[in-house]
Amino acid sequence: LVGTVMSNLGFEKAWLCRGGSLTRTPVGDQHVYEAMLKNGSALGGEQSGHILSTMNGLCGDGILTALTIATLCKKQNQSLSDWMDASFEPYPQKLVNIPISNSQLNKDWKNCEPLQKAVIGAEQSMGSEGRVLVRTSGTEPVLRVMVEASDPQAVEDWTNQLTALAESHFNIT
């Protein structure tokens, strides 16, 4: 499977336990599409629900995806809710958008040493049970800080700490 950096860690772990592999790409269906071609993957998508499949020529057709899932549920005599409950348990995840008014700061967030050290600290603290993603938006002047972990309190604590550091660095009030 191909997913983006936003794909939930709980999904990835469940898929790996089933013997699958997941290739992560930057956000955007064009990146998913390119990785699917490169890897020969049959299925890929974004956490937003944009699914690409070889069944429909790698076209992100939402209606076709919904009909395919409905057909699978019908064949298995399962409700969509039951099917989703059996698929995986998503890890708690929190995403904060931090506005950045100066476009130069938008490009230089990686140079914020306190933020980088805190990200490393968060990743070390959570180990394989969590992750941090800090990235700029491709569509608006914001820095996105996403934390997910098996422990909801760790998600909240690390998101608050990382957001405060970023806001302090960029003098956001």
Side-chain angles (χ1 to χ4, degrees):
L1 293 177
V2 177
T4 70
V5 292
M6 298 299 291
S7 297
N8 193 280
L9 186 57
F11 167 74
E12 179 179 11
K13 287 183 174 250
W15 184 239
L16 294 176
C17 283
R18 290 181 170 102
S21 66
L22 177 69
T23 299
R24 287 185 184 265
T25 70
V27 171
D29 62 324
Q30 72 274 18
H31 299 294
V32 173
Y33 175 84
E34 290 167 3
M36 289 178 70
L37 290 178
K38 180 181 176 186
N39 299 343
S41 300
L43 190 62
E46 297 191 87
Q47 183 164 302
S48 64
H50 193 174
I51 307 298
L52 302 175
S53 168
T54 55
M55 285 179 25
N56 57 358
L58 295 178
C59 175
D61 186 325
I63 294 173
L64 183 56
T65 300
L67 290 171
T68 302
I69 291 171
T71 301
L72 289 171
C73 288
K74 175 81 171 156
K75 283 182 180 178
Q76 296 175 9
N77 198 29
Q78 245 183 336
S79 70
L80 177 59
S81 177
D82 290 342
W83 182 71
M84 290 189 58
D85 287 345
S87 64
F88 75 98
E89 183 155 344
Y91 276 32
Q93 185 181 77
K94 186 170 182 179
L95 175 67
V96 176
N97 293 322
I98 302 165
I100 301 174
S101 57
N102 181 328
S103 62
Q104 186 60 37
L105 291 177
N106 198 18
K107 296 175 185 166
D108 291 340
W109 69 269
K110 292 180 182 179
N111 295 329
C112 177
E113 192 172 325
L115 179 59
Q116 294 302 322
K117 285 183 178 180
V119 167
I120 291 168
E123 290 172 337
Q124 289 175 343
S125 170
M126 294 182 293
S128 66
E129 290 302 307
R131 67 187 186 108
V132 175
L133 177 64
V134 179
R135 68 178 188 88
T136 55
S137 167
T139 58
E140 53 189 326
V142 296
L143 182 69
R144 300 194 196 281
V145 175
M146 193 264 308
V147 178
E148 70 179 349
S150 56
D151 176 11
Q153 190 60 53
V155 170
E156 195 64 32
D157 293 346
W158 282 114
T159 303
N160 290 342
Q161 184 175 342
L162 295 171
T163 300
L165 278 167
E167 288 174 341
S168 171
H169 177 73
F170 295 115
N171 297 317
I172 306 297
T173 54

